[in-house]
Short mmCIF file of all heavy atoms in Angstrom, two decimals:
data_model
loop_
_atom_site.label_atom_id
_atom_site.label_comp_id
_atom_site.label_asym_id
_atom_site.label_seq_id
_atom_site.Cartn_x
_atom_site.Cartn_y
_atom_site.Cartn_z
N GLY A 1 -1.70 -7.79 -53.69
CA GLY A 1 -1.42 -7.01 -54.90
C GLY A 1 -0.16 -7.35 -55.66
O GLY A 1 0.07 -6.83 -56.75
N GLY A 2 0.61 -8.28 -55.14
CA GLY A 2 1.83 -8.85 -55.72
C GLY A 2 3.10 -8.38 -55.26
O GLY A 2 4.11 -8.82 -55.60
N ALA A 3 3.15 -7.42 -54.24
CA ALA A 3 4.35 -6.96 -53.64
C ALA A 3 4.91 -8.00 -52.94
O ALA A 3 4.15 -8.91 -52.29
CB ALA A 3 4.14 -5.72 -52.84
N THR A 4 6.36 -8.20 -52.83
CA THR A 4 7.01 -9.18 -52.03
C THR A 4 8.10 -8.57 -51.18
O THR A 4 8.50 -7.46 -51.39
CB THR A 4 7.70 -10.15 -53.03
OG1 THR A 4 8.64 -9.43 -53.85
CG2 THR A 4 6.77 -10.86 -53.90
N ASN A 5 8.42 -9.40 -50.12
CA ASN A 5 9.59 -9.04 -49.42
C ASN A 5 10.24 -10.41 -48.90
O ASN A 5 9.62 -11.41 -48.93
CB ASN A 5 9.44 -8.12 -48.29
CG ASN A 5 8.44 -8.45 -47.24
OD1 ASN A 5 8.21 -9.66 -46.85
ND2 ASN A 5 7.56 -7.44 -46.82
N TYR A 6 11.48 -10.30 -48.51
CA TYR A 6 12.22 -11.46 -48.22
C TYR A 6 13.15 -11.17 -46.93
O TYR A 6 13.56 -10.17 -46.77
CB TYR A 6 13.28 -11.74 -49.43
CG TYR A 6 12.49 -12.22 -50.66
CD1 TYR A 6 12.11 -11.29 -51.53
CD2 TYR A 6 12.16 -13.62 -50.94
CE1 TYR A 6 11.41 -11.56 -52.72
CE2 TYR A 6 11.60 -13.93 -52.06
CZ TYR A 6 11.28 -12.93 -52.99
OH TYR A 6 10.48 -13.29 -54.18
N LEU A 7 13.39 -12.33 -46.32
CA LEU A 7 14.47 -12.31 -45.32
C LEU A 7 15.81 -11.91 -45.93
O LEU A 7 16.05 -12.54 -47.11
CB LEU A 7 14.55 -13.72 -44.72
CG LEU A 7 15.48 -14.01 -43.60
CD1 LEU A 7 15.08 -13.26 -42.32
CD2 LEU A 7 15.62 -15.58 -43.29
N GLU A 8 16.48 -11.14 -45.35
CA GLU A 8 17.74 -10.66 -45.97
C GLU A 8 18.65 -11.67 -46.43
O GLU A 8 19.35 -11.65 -47.37
CB GLU A 8 18.35 -9.72 -44.98
CG GLU A 8 19.74 -9.05 -45.46
CD GLU A 8 19.43 -8.06 -46.68
OE1 GLU A 8 18.26 -7.53 -46.66
OE2 GLU A 8 20.24 -7.90 -47.50
N SER A 9 18.80 -12.89 -45.62
CA SER A 9 19.78 -13.81 -45.91
C SER A 9 19.32 -14.70 -47.03
O SER A 9 20.16 -15.50 -47.63
CB SER A 9 19.90 -14.86 -44.66
OG SER A 9 18.73 -15.38 -44.40
N VAL A 10 18.14 -14.62 -47.58
CA VAL A 10 17.61 -15.37 -48.78
C VAL A 10 17.46 -14.45 -49.94
O VAL A 10 17.08 -14.98 -51.04
CB VAL A 10 16.44 -16.27 -48.44
CG1 VAL A 10 16.64 -17.00 -47.17
CG2 VAL A 10 15.19 -15.36 -48.39
N LYS A 11 17.49 -13.20 -49.83
CA LYS A 11 17.19 -12.23 -50.75
C LYS A 11 18.25 -12.64 -52.03
O LYS A 11 19.39 -12.90 -51.74
CB LYS A 11 17.54 -10.87 -50.35
CG LYS A 11 17.14 -9.82 -51.40
CD LYS A 11 17.12 -8.41 -50.74
CE LYS A 11 18.57 -8.04 -50.18
NZ LYS A 11 18.72 -6.59 -49.65
N ASP A 12 17.80 -12.56 -53.20
CA ASP A 12 18.45 -12.85 -54.42
C ASP A 12 18.76 -14.34 -54.62
O ASP A 12 19.36 -14.77 -55.72
CB ASP A 12 19.85 -12.06 -54.45
CG ASP A 12 19.82 -10.56 -54.34
OD1 ASP A 12 18.70 -10.09 -54.98
OD2 ASP A 12 20.57 -9.96 -53.78
N ARG A 13 18.34 -15.22 -53.71
CA ARG A 13 18.45 -16.66 -53.91
C ARG A 13 17.08 -17.29 -54.05
O ARG A 13 16.99 -18.33 -54.61
CB ARG A 13 19.24 -17.28 -52.80
CG ARG A 13 20.55 -16.72 -52.81
CD ARG A 13 21.55 -17.63 -51.61
NE ARG A 13 21.05 -17.49 -50.33
CZ ARG A 13 20.43 -18.49 -49.50
NH1 ARG A 13 20.46 -19.67 -50.06
NH2 ARG A 13 20.00 -18.27 -48.26
N PHE A 14 16.20 -16.74 -53.26
CA PHE A 14 14.81 -17.35 -53.16
C PHE A 14 13.81 -16.39 -53.92
O PHE A 14 13.98 -15.25 -53.81
CB PHE A 14 14.24 -17.51 -51.77
CG PHE A 14 15.00 -18.57 -50.95
CD1 PHE A 14 16.17 -19.12 -51.34
CD2 PHE A 14 14.52 -18.84 -49.68
CE1 PHE A 14 16.84 -20.10 -50.50
CE2 PHE A 14 15.14 -19.77 -48.90
CZ PHE A 14 16.24 -20.44 -49.35
N THR A 15 12.79 -17.00 -54.54
CA THR A 15 11.70 -16.30 -55.15
C THR A 15 10.36 -16.86 -54.81
O THR A 15 10.11 -18.05 -55.01
CB THR A 15 11.83 -16.37 -56.79
OG1 THR A 15 13.16 -15.82 -57.07
CG2 THR A 15 10.83 -15.49 -57.31
N ILE A 16 9.48 -16.01 -54.32
CA ILE A 16 8.10 -16.41 -54.09
C ILE A 16 7.19 -16.17 -55.24
O ILE A 16 7.41 -14.97 -55.95
CB ILE A 16 7.59 -15.83 -52.78
CG1 ILE A 16 6.22 -16.39 -52.29
CG2 ILE A 16 7.48 -14.29 -52.83
CD1 ILE A 16 5.78 -15.92 -51.00
N SER A 17 6.34 -16.94 -55.57
CA SER A 17 5.45 -16.72 -56.68
C SER A 17 4.11 -17.46 -56.34
O SER A 17 3.95 -18.17 -55.43
CB SER A 17 6.02 -17.17 -57.95
OG SER A 17 6.25 -18.62 -58.04
N ARG A 18 3.05 -17.15 -57.29
CA ARG A 18 1.84 -17.83 -57.07
C ARG A 18 1.17 -18.01 -58.52
O ARG A 18 1.50 -17.36 -59.48
CB ARG A 18 0.90 -17.12 -56.13
CG ARG A 18 0.28 -15.69 -56.82
CD ARG A 18 -0.29 -14.75 -55.68
NE ARG A 18 -0.82 -13.64 -56.57
CZ ARG A 18 -0.97 -12.41 -55.83
NH1 ARG A 18 -0.84 -12.39 -54.55
NH2 ARG A 18 -1.48 -11.41 -56.59
N ASP A 19 0.31 -19.08 -58.52
CA ASP A 19 -0.58 -19.23 -59.64
C ASP A 19 -1.99 -19.34 -59.18
O ASP A 19 -2.38 -20.27 -58.65
CB ASP A 19 -0.12 -20.68 -60.33
CG ASP A 19 -0.88 -20.86 -61.70
OD1 ASP A 19 -1.96 -20.28 -61.83
OD2 ASP A 19 -0.21 -21.54 -62.50
N ASN A 20 -2.65 -18.26 -59.38
CA ASN A 20 -4.03 -18.15 -58.87
C ASN A 20 -4.92 -19.16 -59.49
O ASN A 20 -5.81 -19.73 -58.82
CB ASN A 20 -4.54 -16.69 -59.07
CG ASN A 20 -3.83 -15.66 -58.28
OD1 ASN A 20 -3.24 -15.98 -57.23
ND2 ASN A 20 -3.90 -14.51 -58.68
N ALA A 21 -4.69 -19.47 -60.72
CA ALA A 21 -5.57 -20.43 -61.45
C ALA A 21 -5.47 -21.89 -60.75
O ALA A 21 -6.34 -22.66 -60.85
CB ALA A 21 -5.36 -20.36 -62.88
N LYS A 22 -4.20 -22.11 -60.28
CA LYS A 22 -3.96 -23.47 -59.65
C LYS A 22 -4.14 -23.50 -58.24
O LYS A 22 -3.83 -24.47 -57.54
CB LYS A 22 -2.71 -23.97 -60.13
CG LYS A 22 -2.53 -24.17 -61.64
CD LYS A 22 -1.05 -24.70 -62.00
CE LYS A 22 -1.12 -25.00 -63.53
NZ LYS A 22 0.27 -25.51 -63.77
N ASN A 23 -4.48 -22.39 -57.60
CA ASN A 23 -4.55 -22.14 -56.12
C ASN A 23 -3.20 -22.60 -55.43
O ASN A 23 -3.33 -23.31 -54.35
CB ASN A 23 -5.62 -22.84 -55.65
CG ASN A 23 -7.08 -22.52 -56.19
OD1 ASN A 23 -7.18 -21.36 -56.52
ND2 ASN A 23 -8.02 -23.47 -56.20
N THR A 24 -2.14 -22.34 -56.06
CA THR A 24 -0.86 -22.74 -55.64
C THR A 24 0.16 -21.64 -55.54
O THR A 24 0.27 -20.74 -56.34
CB THR A 24 -0.24 -23.83 -56.66
OG1 THR A 24 -1.26 -24.88 -56.75
CG2 THR A 24 1.00 -24.38 -56.07
N MET A 25 0.93 -21.70 -54.50
CA MET A 25 2.05 -20.82 -54.14
C MET A 25 3.41 -21.56 -54.21
O MET A 25 3.41 -22.79 -53.86
CB MET A 25 1.86 -20.15 -52.71
CG MET A 25 3.05 -19.29 -52.25
SD MET A 25 2.44 -18.59 -50.74
CE MET A 25 2.38 -19.98 -49.60
N TYR A 26 4.45 -20.92 -54.57
CA TYR A 26 5.76 -21.56 -54.69
C TYR A 26 6.75 -20.82 -54.09
O TYR A 26 6.75 -19.53 -53.87
CB TYR A 26 6.08 -21.61 -56.22
CG TYR A 26 5.02 -22.33 -57.03
CD1 TYR A 26 4.13 -21.59 -57.75
CD2 TYR A 26 4.87 -23.65 -57.20
CE1 TYR A 26 3.13 -22.15 -58.66
CE2 TYR A 26 4.00 -24.33 -58.09
CZ TYR A 26 3.05 -23.46 -58.66
OH TYR A 26 2.21 -24.07 -59.50
N LEU A 27 7.86 -21.51 -53.78
CA LEU A 27 9.05 -20.91 -53.28
C LEU A 27 10.25 -21.63 -54.05
O LEU A 27 10.53 -22.69 -53.77
CB LEU A 27 9.31 -21.07 -51.76
CG LEU A 27 10.44 -20.39 -51.19
CD1 LEU A 27 10.40 -18.82 -51.35
CD2 LEU A 27 10.76 -20.77 -49.66
N GLN A 28 10.85 -20.85 -54.95
CA GLN A 28 11.96 -21.41 -55.58
C GLN A 28 13.18 -20.98 -54.84
O GLN A 28 13.49 -19.84 -54.54
CB GLN A 28 12.05 -20.69 -57.11
CG GLN A 28 13.31 -21.06 -57.86
CD GLN A 28 13.27 -22.56 -58.20
OE1 GLN A 28 12.25 -23.17 -58.82
NE2 GLN A 28 14.33 -23.31 -58.05
N MET A 29 14.08 -21.96 -54.50
CA MET A 29 15.21 -21.80 -53.66
C MET A 29 16.49 -22.30 -54.46
O MET A 29 16.61 -23.30 -54.87
CB MET A 29 15.10 -22.62 -52.40
CG MET A 29 13.84 -22.34 -51.61
SD MET A 29 13.73 -23.22 -50.07
CE MET A 29 13.55 -24.88 -50.56
N ASN A 30 17.28 -21.35 -54.70
CA ASN A 30 18.48 -21.49 -55.39
C ASN A 30 19.73 -21.31 -54.55
O ASN A 30 19.58 -20.62 -53.51
CB ASN A 30 18.66 -20.65 -56.63
CG ASN A 30 17.51 -20.94 -57.71
OD1 ASN A 30 17.10 -22.08 -57.80
ND2 ASN A 30 17.11 -19.83 -58.34
N SER A 31 20.78 -21.80 -54.95
CA SER A 31 22.21 -21.59 -54.20
C SER A 31 22.01 -21.88 -52.71
O SER A 31 22.32 -21.15 -51.84
CB SER A 31 22.63 -20.21 -54.45
OG SER A 31 22.83 -19.84 -55.87
N LEU A 32 21.29 -23.08 -52.44
CA LEU A 32 21.00 -23.34 -51.19
C LEU A 32 22.25 -23.62 -50.25
O LEU A 32 23.28 -24.08 -50.73
CB LEU A 32 20.20 -24.51 -51.06
CG LEU A 32 18.68 -24.42 -51.48
CD1 LEU A 32 18.07 -25.68 -51.86
CD2 LEU A 32 18.07 -23.67 -50.29
N LYS A 33 22.17 -23.30 -49.05
CA LYS A 33 23.24 -23.29 -48.09
C LYS A 33 22.80 -24.17 -46.89
O LYS A 33 21.53 -24.32 -46.67
CB LYS A 33 23.59 -21.95 -47.54
CG LYS A 33 23.93 -20.89 -48.60
CD LYS A 33 24.19 -19.46 -47.95
CE LYS A 33 24.58 -18.50 -49.05
NZ LYS A 33 24.65 -17.19 -48.48
N PRO A 34 23.76 -24.77 -46.06
CA PRO A 34 23.42 -25.53 -45.08
C PRO A 34 22.53 -24.88 -43.91
O PRO A 34 21.55 -25.46 -43.30
CB PRO A 34 24.76 -25.96 -44.31
CG PRO A 34 25.70 -26.01 -45.54
CD PRO A 34 25.21 -24.84 -46.45
N GLU A 35 22.71 -23.50 -43.84
CA GLU A 35 21.97 -22.83 -42.86
C GLU A 35 20.47 -22.62 -43.36
O GLU A 35 19.61 -22.16 -42.59
CB GLU A 35 22.50 -21.51 -42.61
CG GLU A 35 22.90 -20.64 -43.79
CD GLU A 35 24.27 -20.86 -44.26
OE1 GLU A 35 24.85 -21.91 -44.21
OE2 GLU A 35 24.96 -19.74 -44.53
N ASP A 36 20.06 -23.06 -44.53
CA ASP A 36 18.73 -23.07 -44.97
C ASP A 36 17.97 -24.24 -44.53
O ASP A 36 16.78 -24.39 -44.72
CB ASP A 36 18.71 -22.91 -46.54
CG ASP A 36 19.26 -21.73 -47.09
OD1 ASP A 36 19.00 -20.65 -46.57
OD2 ASP A 36 19.93 -21.80 -48.23
N THR A 37 18.64 -25.17 -43.89
CA THR A 37 17.99 -26.45 -43.37
C THR A 37 16.97 -25.99 -42.39
O THR A 37 17.35 -25.38 -41.38
CB THR A 37 19.05 -27.40 -42.89
OG1 THR A 37 19.98 -27.87 -43.92
CG2 THR A 37 18.44 -28.58 -42.26
N ALA A 38 15.80 -26.48 -42.58
CA ALA A 38 14.67 -26.12 -41.72
C ALA A 38 13.34 -26.91 -42.18
O ALA A 38 13.39 -27.40 -43.25
CB ALA A 38 14.45 -24.73 -41.62
N VAL A 39 12.48 -26.80 -41.43
CA VAL A 39 10.99 -27.16 -41.76
C VAL A 39 10.33 -25.87 -42.34
O VAL A 39 10.34 -24.85 -41.69
CB VAL A 39 10.22 -27.78 -40.71
CG1 VAL A 39 8.81 -28.03 -41.13
CG2 VAL A 39 10.78 -29.09 -40.22
N TYR A 40 9.80 -25.99 -43.39
CA TYR A 40 9.20 -24.85 -44.11
C TYR A 40 7.74 -24.96 -44.06
O TYR A 40 7.22 -26.06 -44.36
CB TYR A 40 9.70 -24.66 -45.61
CG TYR A 40 11.12 -24.22 -45.82
CD1 TYR A 40 12.21 -24.92 -45.29
CD2 TYR A 40 11.40 -22.93 -46.22
CE1 TYR A 40 13.55 -24.43 -45.35
CE2 TYR A 40 12.68 -22.38 -46.25
CZ TYR A 40 13.74 -23.21 -45.93
OH TYR A 40 15.03 -22.74 -46.00
N TYR A 41 7.10 -23.85 -43.80
CA TYR A 41 5.61 -23.77 -43.74
C TYR A 41 5.04 -22.78 -44.63
O TYR A 41 5.64 -21.59 -44.64
CB TYR A 41 5.27 -23.40 -42.28
CG TYR A 41 5.77 -24.40 -41.23
CD1 TYR A 41 6.87 -24.20 -40.62
CD2 TYR A 41 4.91 -25.42 -40.82
CE1 TYR A 41 7.58 -25.08 -39.62
CE2 TYR A 41 5.28 -26.29 -39.73
CZ TYR A 41 6.57 -26.18 -39.22
OH TYR A 41 7.06 -26.87 -38.17
N CYS A 42 3.99 -23.11 -45.40
CA CYS A 42 3.24 -22.09 -46.06
C CYS A 42 2.21 -21.44 -45.27
O CYS A 42 1.66 -22.03 -44.30
CB CYS A 42 2.69 -22.53 -47.40
SG CYS A 42 1.53 -23.85 -47.27
N TYR A 43 1.84 -20.24 -45.50
CA TYR A 43 1.03 -19.47 -44.62
C TYR A 43 0.03 -18.56 -45.49
O TYR A 43 0.50 -18.02 -46.48
CB TYR A 43 1.76 -18.58 -43.68
CG TYR A 43 1.02 -17.40 -43.10
CD1 TYR A 43 0.38 -17.59 -41.89
CD2 TYR A 43 1.07 -16.20 -43.65
CE1 TYR A 43 -0.35 -16.51 -41.30
CE2 TYR A 43 0.35 -15.17 -43.10
CZ TYR A 43 -0.35 -15.38 -41.90
OH TYR A 43 -1.03 -14.38 -41.37
N ALA A 44 -1.15 -18.35 -45.15
CA ALA A 44 -2.02 -17.30 -45.65
C ALA A 44 -2.82 -16.56 -44.55
O ALA A 44 -3.13 -17.25 -43.65
CB ALA A 44 -3.03 -17.93 -46.75
N GLY A 45 -2.82 -15.28 -44.69
CA GLY A 45 -3.60 -14.45 -43.79
C GLY A 45 -4.96 -14.15 -44.23
O GLY A 45 -5.08 -13.71 -45.30
N GLY A 46 -5.95 -14.47 -43.44
CA GLY A 46 -7.31 -14.08 -43.89
C GLY A 46 -8.17 -13.85 -42.47
O GLY A 46 -7.62 -13.23 -41.63
N PRO A 47 -9.38 -14.31 -42.60
CA PRO A 47 -10.16 -14.16 -41.32
C PRO A 47 -9.39 -14.81 -40.14
O PRO A 47 -9.55 -14.29 -39.01
CB PRO A 47 -11.52 -14.85 -41.65
CG PRO A 47 -11.65 -14.76 -43.23
CD PRO A 47 -10.11 -14.79 -43.67
N THR A 48 -8.85 -15.90 -40.39
CA THR A 48 -7.89 -16.59 -39.44
C THR A 48 -6.49 -16.83 -40.28
O THR A 48 -6.49 -16.76 -41.45
CB THR A 48 -8.44 -17.84 -38.95
OG1 THR A 48 -8.55 -18.84 -39.81
CG2 THR A 48 -9.70 -17.56 -38.17
#
């Protein structure tokens, strides 16, 4: 339905969005910090 939530440490810096026509999801990450270093995975919940 479009509601979002965020890890507290990234709130106000990261923004999740989607473009349904392009079947694409995005994560805009601003003001990045060394502690943001990680492997990032996209996820969708469905039948599996």
